[in-house]
Amino acid sequence: LSPLTDFNYICMNLPCDVFMCVVGDSCCNPLSMGSIKKMIEEQISGVYVLSLMIGKNVVQDTENGFFMDVNEQVDTVCSQLAQDKRLQGGYNAMGFSQGRSFCTRAVAQRCPSPPMKTLISVGGQHQGVYGLPRCPGESSKVCDMIREALNAGAYSDFVQKHLVQAQYWHDPLNDDLYKTHSRFLADINQERAVNETYRKNLQQLQKFVMVKFLQDSVVDPVESEWFGFLKTGQAKEMETLQESVLYKEDRLGLAAMDKAGKLVFLGTDGDHLQFSREWFIHNLMPFLRS
Ligand SMILES: *[C@@H]1O[C@H](CO)[C@@H](O)[C@H](O)[C@H]1NC(C)=O
């Protein structure tokens, strides 16, 4: 496995000094990041778009999204955001699928400055995945490599560092291993000690919007897109965010945000990232305007 890094980051300045960042990949999306950017520019006049890329080329390849150290990516994104003068008044952020969605959440939790205002997660796997049903993308070779690596040990240091899929691999049957060795997901989901900074920072959000694709055949389990997951110790029964320890102990501040009306759960018909321009404009654009 060689760590390939690539990342697509688009930041937009909305008229009222609100900025937005889109992090995403183009692998399975009928609307590419480029076309989403263009659509937002058409809809919101005076929008500022900054595209940050880490890596070699535009994300077209599934591989790009698979091999990278998410923690390093978050650091890089944070420093780019901090350096952009136009973002200092705050921005709205959007993440599509893959690691990018919760990577964007990690940015909110770890980097309070500049402040993220609204976070929109589109098909994001907030509680990770436990399965590769249709290993996102077309490259079966990459999928086989990923499966092999995961079998070899999803929680080994090397695999955790270099394989994105492992960085959000959540094995409910090996909860201790997950909690101890997941370098990224267990950290941002407060599975170890509660980091008060994460709680405080996440609650600075005005809205946290989670979009779930009701016929998603890529994300397993799909409940993860609304922060639900398999109950610990087995691999059949699901629990919602509200039923989870994370929520009940409010380790991340999500229960408080829910009570304050800051959490928005949107469901849409269709497979992974299959949404139309009309759907986007009608359902997500309002959050980008505020
Ligand atoms: C909590 O998170 C912040 C922000 O990433 C980090 O600087 C700090 O070291 C963390 N604290 C602990 C106890 O892990």
Side-chain angles (χ1 to χ4, degrees):
L1 295 178
S2 65
L4 304 175
T5 55
D6 204 331
F7 211 67
N8 190 12
Y9 214 87
I10 304 165
C11 297
M12 293 167 210
N13 171 5
L14 306 188
C16 47
D17 252 350
V18 182
F19 294 77
M20 175 186 134
C21 289
V22 177
V23 191
D25 61 306
S26 52
C27 83
C28 0
N29 198 336
L31 295 173
S32 68
M33 285 306 114
S35 68
I36 288 175
K37 172 180 165 235
K38 196 158 157 267
M39 178 164 63
I40 295 167
E41 286 169 336
E42 282 164 12
Q43 295 284 317
I44 304 170
S45 64
V47 78
Y48 155 66
V49 180
L50 167 71
S51 184
L52 306 184
M53 288 235 315
I54 300 163
K56 285 181 289 200
N57 49 40
V58 178
V59 190
Q60 283 173 339
D61 211 64
T62 53
E63 302 183 19
N64 297 325
F66 284 137
F67 306 104
M68 62 182 189
D69 184 329
V70 178
N71 286 316
E72 275 172 31
Q73 297 288 334
V74 172
D75 286 350
T76 309
V77 168
C78 284
S79 71
Q80 304 221 28
L81 294 175
Q83 280 161 24
D84 192 323
K85 289 195 178 63
R86 292 158 296 187
L87 294 182
Q88 302 314 307
Y91 63 93
N92 294 329
M94 210 159 145
F96 292 86
S97 184
Q98 278 258 21
R100 281 69 188 253
S101 259
F102 52 71
C103 172
T104 318
R105 176 161 60 83
V107 170
Q109 291 176 208
R110 289 180 184 166
C111 315
S113 172
M116 189 186 290
K117 295 181 171 179
T118 290
L119 165 55
I120 304 177
S121 142
V122 185
Q125 297 113 49
H126 291 282
Q127 275 290 1
V129 295
Y130 185 54
L132 294 171
R134 217 188 52 176
C135 181
E138 284 77 46
S139 170
S140 62
K141 212 170 138 204
V142 171
C143 289
D144 288 344
M145 277 170 76
I146 291 171
R147 285 200 181 85
E148 265 168 43
L150 289 172
N151 288 339
Y155 299 120
S156 80
D157 255 12
F158 181 82
V159 176
Q160 280 286 311
K161 264 204 165 124
H162 297 302
L163 183 62
V164 170
Q165 209 83 24
Q167 293 171 59
Y168 56 99
W169 192 252
H170 187 165
D171 183 346
L173 303 177
N174 285 292
D175 198 49
D176 288 347
L177 271 183
Y178 162 67
K179 284 185 173 156
T180 323
H181 295 290
S182 164
R183 290 178 77 245
F184 178 71
L185 191 62
D187 176 70
I188 64 161
N189 282 356
Q190 306 273 49
E191 297 282 6
R192 298 187 273 264
V194 168
N195 185 329
E196 283 301 331
T197 308
Y198 286 176
R199 283 185 95 242
K200 189 172 135 248
N201 290 345
L202 194 64
Q203 288 183 77
Q204 299 302 311
L205 287 174
Q206 291 161 9
K207 284 270 191 266
F208 177 15
V209 182
M210 284 170 259
V211 178
K212 173 169 144 183
F213 293 89
L214 302 175
Q215 280 83 40
D216 201 315
S217 67
V218 173
V219 173
D220 187 15
V222 66
E223 283 77 2
S224 193
E225 295 178 3
W226 277 354
F227 236 120
F229 204 68
L230 291 153
K231 287 182 184 167
T232 301
Q234 51 86 60
K236 265 198 183 133
E237 259 187 85
M238 299 290 166
E239 66 186 11
T240 61
L241 168 65
Q242 286 78 4
E243 291 162 349
S244 68
V245 171
L246 178 72
Y247 188 96
K248 286 179 181 156
E249 295 179 358
D250 206 10
R251 300 173 71 86
L252 198 47
L254 289 166
M257 291 174 75
D258 202 12
K259 284 198 189 82
K262 290 181 169 187
L263 300 187
V264 180
F265 299 90
L266 291 181
T268 180
D269 278 328
D271 201 346
H272 194 57
L273 296 186
Q274 303 297 307
F275 57 84
S276 66
R277 181 188 162 86
E278 290 67 37
W279 181 87
F280 186 97
I281 291 174
H282 188 254
N283 292 282
L284 300 186
M285 204 64 85
F287 294 108
L288 301 178
R289 289 187 199 280
S290 55

